[in-house]
Amino acid sequence: MLCLGIETSCDDTGVALVDGRRLLANRAASQADLHAVFGGVVPEIASREHYRLLAPLYQACLADAGVSPSDVDVVSVARGPGLLGSLLTGVSFAKGLALGTGARLVGVDHLYAHVLAAALETEIPYPAVAVLISGGHTNLYIMRSELELELVGRTLDDAAGEAFDKAAKALNLPYPGGAVMDRLAAYGQVDTAMFPRPYLDNQNLDFSFSGLKTAFALHIAAREGLATERLVEATELQSEEGARRVLGESFQEIADICASYGWSIADTLRIKTSRALERMGERPQAIILAGGVASNTTVRRLLKEEANARGLAFIAPSPMLCTDNAAMVAYAGSRLAEAGLCHDLTLEAVPRGRKVPRDYVACA
């Protein structure tokens, strides 16, 4: 089954083609540089860029795979959650393709696609606990199959990725800040007492990072002159030498702060994941890590150590499949279509804050 995937949920435009687990083509365009000057994603700019980029990416993707539009069996599109204008651009493009080619249409929950991303590269043993960490979401799922996901924990306020980005902004580090903090953390030493591990004094599986953000802000405010006087460019921090030159005498302290802050977030995720594993009514087989923050070095290390200690498989996608991408959307759409679950042209985009409904219709 040849499935075309379309991803426009936020500020990354993607088109991909998959056949089963074979990724035939994957085209993507990042808008990070456009939004960096604003310190975050500007929805209007994002949707306009999606509109500009989708058609050429689609044509390039077909050419890469050596197929024609009539060869596509399924058109899969991220329908939400995300920025409404961005989602509408992708959903409209997908509807046009389905109407013009006769391909089946599948609207995919963007979060579900993230969780399944690793399945493109490796077989997942079930049941498993999946940890989804991104700029907008921090969720825990119990997975019993590719089609059975039970949400058991979620963020009550800021997500882990947002906590990273806002901390980086306080230090005048470039957007998106999570990757920059991870890079600087490699040069630092972890102080486990520097920041709290938030929202652990309970027995639930939810997350809250607002208190940690406040602790970080207070820590930085007490150290006058720690943050750089100007917004640092990402290219200036590509190497340790460059980072030392730009950050000057503050280099080591900032590196230690990044390492300690990252550890607090990562260990919080580990503890909540451990709770989820212990509460499963059946023996888990794996811990699955997904989402943009799944590339974070410390998060990967601590969750892998947790899996190893329990004798479980640890499964995380390659960095290319951690960020928003069309390959994961195409794979998720192909799994749904094979199960006989599709949509008609009444498919709606679902913005962040609303639950994505399971309103599938039987495939024709």
Side-chain angles (χ1 to χ4, degrees), residues 229-242:
E229 294 182 359
R230 63 177 177 83
L231 181 64
V232 177
E233 297 291 335
T235 53
E236 297 177 285
L237 301 172
Q238 291 296 325
S239 66
E240 181 177 357
E241 180 185 358

PDB file of all heavy atoms in Angstrom, residues 229-242:
ATOM      1  N   GLU A 229      24.215  39.606  26.732  1.00  0.00           N
ATOM      2  CA  GLU A 229      23.591  40.907  26.513  1.00  0.00           C
ATOM      3  C   GLU A 229      22.802  40.938  25.210  1.00  0.00           C
ATOM      4  O   GLU A 229      21.930  41.778  25.028  1.00  0.00           O
ATOM      5  CB  GLU A 229      24.657  42.003  26.504  1.00  0.00           C
ATOM      6  CG  GLU A 229      25.339  42.196  27.859  1.00  0.00           C
ATOM      7  CD  GLU A 229      26.360  43.319  27.824  1.00  0.00           C
ATOM      8  OE1 GLU A 229      26.539  43.919  26.748  1.00  0.00           O
ATOM      9  OE2 GLU A 229      26.966  43.597  28.871  1.00  0.00           O
ATOM     10  N   ARG A 230      23.119  40.045  24.292  1.00  0.00           N
ATOM     11  CA  ARG A 230      22.389  40.002  23.022  1.00  0.00           C
ATOM     12  C   ARG A 230      21.939  38.564  22.766  1.00  0.00           C
ATOM     13  O   ARG A 230      22.426  37.617  23.395  1.00  0.00           O
ATOM     14  CB  ARG A 230      23.291  40.445  21.864  1.00  0.00           C
ATOM     15  CG  ARG A 230      24.492  39.532  21.644  1.00  0.00           C
ATOM     16  CD  ARG A 230      25.318  39.952  20.436  1.00  0.00           C
ATOM     17  NE  ARG A 230      26.506  39.124  20.283  1.00  0.00           N
ATOM     18  CZ  ARG A 230      26.523  37.941  19.693  1.00  0.00           C
ATOM     19  NH1 ARG A 230      25.402  37.438  19.200  1.00  0.00           N
ATOM     20  NH2 ARG A 230      27.642  37.246  19.583  1.00  0.00           N
ATOM     21  N   LEU A 231      20.985  38.420  21.863  1.00  0.00           N
ATOM     22  CA  LEU A 231      20.519  37.098  21.470  1.00  0.00           C
ATOM     23  C   LEU A 231      21.616  36.396  20.678  1.00  0.00           C
ATOM     24  O   LEU A 231      22.071  36.892  19.650  1.00  0.00           O
ATOM     25  CB  LEU A 231      19.256  37.206  20.617  1.00  0.00           C
ATOM     26  CG  LEU A 231      18.638  35.880  20.155  1.00  0.00           C
ATOM     27  CD1 LEU A 231      18.150  35.077  21.358  1.00  0.00           C
ATOM     28  CD2 LEU A 231      17.488  36.134  19.191  1.00  0.00           C
ATOM     29  N   VAL A 232      22.060  35.263  21.166  1.00  0.00           N
ATOM     30  CA  VAL A 232      23.143  34.518  20.526  1.00  0.00           C
ATOM     31  C   VAL A 232      22.602  33.799  19.293  1.00  0.00           C
ATOM     32  O   VAL A 232      21.487  33.287  19.283  1.00  0.00           O
ATOM     33  CB  VAL A 232      23.738  33.493  21.518  1.00  0.00           C
ATOM     34  CG1 VAL A 232      24.815  32.659  20.857  1.00  0.00           C
ATOM     35  CG2 VAL A 232      24.291  34.219  22.731  1.00  0.00           C
ATOM     36  N   GLU A 233      23.384  33.767  18.226  1.00  0.00           N
ATOM     37  CA  GLU A 233      23.009  33.028  17.018  1.00  0.00           C
ATOM     38  C   GLU A 233      23.349  31.551  17.198  1.00  0.00           C
ATOM     39  O   GLU A 233      24.370  31.204  17.812  1.00  0.00           O
ATOM     40  CB  GLU A 233      23.764  33.580  15.803  1.00  0.00           C
ATOM     41  CG  GLU A 233      23.444  35.026  15.472  1.00  0.00           C
ATOM     42  CD  GLU A 233      22.029  35.198  14.951  1.00  0.00           C
ATOM     43  OE1 GLU A 233      21.469  34.216  14.413  1.00  0.00           O
ATOM     44  OE2 GLU A 233      21.476  36.305  15.091  1.00  0.00           O
ATOM     45  N   ALA A 234      22.506  30.682  16.654  1.00  0.00           N
ATOM     46  CA  ALA A 234      22.722  29.243  16.794  1.00  0.00           C
ATOM     47  C   ALA A 234      24.064  28.815  16.211  1.00  0.00           C
ATOM     48  O   ALA A 234      24.733  27.931  16.751  1.00  0.00           O
ATOM     49  CB  ALA A 234      21.580  28.480  16.124  1.00  0.00           C
ATOM     50  N   THR A 235      24.474  29.457  15.120  1.00  0.00           N
ATOM     51  CA  THR A 235      25.740  29.088  14.479  1.00  0.00           C
ATOM     52  C   THR A 235      26.943  29.368  15.374  1.00  0.00           C
ATOM     53  O   THR A 235      27.998  28.752  15.203  1.00  0.00           O
ATOM     54  CB  THR A 235      25.920  29.853  13.158  1.00  0.00           C
ATOM     55  OG1 THR A 235      25.763  31.255  13.399  1.00  0.00           O
ATOM     56  CG2 THR A 235      24.894  29.395  12.125  1.00  0.00           C
ATOM     57  N   GLU A 236      26.780  30.263  16.334  1.00  0.00           N
ATOM     58  CA  GLU A 236      27.884  30.602  17.234  1.00  0.00           C
ATOM     59  C   GLU A 236      28.094  29.546  18.312  1.00  0.00           C
ATOM     60  O   GLU A 236      29.098  29.570  19.027  1.00  0.00           O
ATOM     61  CB  GLU A 236      27.620  31.964  17.896  1.00  0.00           C
ATOM     62  CG  GLU A 236      27.546  33.136  16.928  1.00  0.00           C
ATOM     63  CD  GLU A 236      27.221  34.432  17.620  1.00  0.00           C
ATOM     64  OE1 GLU A 236      26.048  34.635  17.998  1.00  0.00           O
ATOM     65  OE2 GLU A 236      28.154  35.236  17.814  1.00  0.00           O
ATOM     66  N   LEU A 237      27.147  28.618  18.437  1.00  0.00           N
ATOM     67  CA  LEU A 237      27.216  27.615  19.489  1.00  0.00           C
ATOM     68  C   LEU A 237      27.393  26.204  18.944  1.00  0.00           C
ATOM     69  O   LEU A 237      27.144  25.217  19.639  1.00  0.00           O
ATOM     70  CB  LEU A 237      25.934  27.684  20.346  1.00  0.00           C
ATOM     71  CG  LEU A 237      25.660  29.028  21.023  1.00  0.00           C
ATOM     72  CD1 LEU A 237      24.286  29.020  21.668  1.00  0.00           C
ATOM     73  CD2 LEU A 237      26.729  29.343  22.059  1.00  0.00           C
ATOM     74  N   GLN A 238      27.833  26.101  17.703  1.00  0.00           N
ATOM     75  CA  GLN A 238      27.968  24.793  17.072  1.00  0.00           C
ATOM     76  C   GLN A 238      29.123  23.991  17.650  1.00  0.00           C
ATOM     77  O   GLN A 238      29.148  22.765  17.555  1.00  0.00           O
ATOM     78  CB  GLN A 238      28.168  24.954  15.556  1.00  0.00           C
ATOM     79  CG  GLN A 238      26.953  25.472  14.801  1.00  0.00           C
ATOM     80  CD  GLN A 238      25.787  24.498  14.870  1.00  0.00           C
ATOM     81  OE1 GLN A 238      25.972  23.287  14.880  1.00  0.00           O
ATOM     82  NE2 GLN A 238      24.573  25.020  14.913  1.00  0.00           N
ATOM     83  N   SER A 239      30.088  24.652  18.246  1.00  0.00           N
ATOM     84  CA  SER A 239      31.251  23.964  18.806  1.00  0.00           C
ATOM     85  C   SER A 239      31.530  24.495  20.203  1.00  0.00           C
ATOM     86  O   SER A 239      31.062  25.573  20.593  1.00  0.00           O
ATOM     87  CB  SER A 239      32.484  24.190  17.925  1.00  0.00           C
ATOM     88  OG  SER A 239      32.860  25.559  17.937  1.00  0.00           O
ATOM     89  N   GLU A 240      32.317  23.734  20.973  1.00  0.00           N
ATOM     90  CA  GLU A 240      32.683  24.190  22.308  1.00  0.00           C
ATOM     91  C   GLU A 240      33.508  25.469  22.224  1.00  0.00           C
ATOM     92  O   GLU A 240      33.336  26.392  23.032  1.00  0.00           O
ATOM     93  CB  GLU A 240      33.474  23.111  23.044  1.00  0.00           C
ATOM     94  CG  GLU A 240      33.857  23.515  24.450  1.00  0.00           C
ATOM     95  CD  GLU A 240      34.581  22.424  25.208  1.00  0.00           C
ATOM     96  OE1 GLU A 240      34.745  21.316  24.659  1.00  0.00           O
ATOM     97  OE2 GLU A 240      35.005  22.696  26.360  1.00  0.00           O
ATOM     98  N   GLU A 241      34.395  25.534  21.240  1.00  0.00           N
ATOM     99  CA  GLU A 241      35.221  26.733  21.071  1.00  0.00           C
ATOM    100  C   GLU A 241      34.357  27.963  20.829  1.00  0.00           C
ATOM    101  O   GLU A 241      34.569  29.026  21.425  1.00  0.00           O
ATOM    102  CB  GLU A 241      36.194  26.526  19.906  1.00  0.00           C
ATOM    103  CG  GLU A 241      37.097  27.731  19.652  1.00  0.00           C
ATOM    104  CD  GLU A 241      37.975  27.554  18.422  1.00  0.00           C
ATOM    105  OE1 GLU A 241      37.900  26.483  17.792  1.00  0.00           O
ATOM    106  OE2 GLU A 241      38.715  28.497  18.094  1.00  0.00           O
ATOM    107  N   GLY A 242      33.357  27.826  19.938  1.00  0.00           N
ATOM    108  CA  GLY A 242      32.468  28.948  19.648  1.00  0.00           C
ATOM    109  C   GLY A 242      31.650  29.344  20.861  1.00  0.00           C
ATOM    110  O   GLY A 242      31.465  30.536  21.144  1.00  0.00           O
TER     111      GLY A 242
END
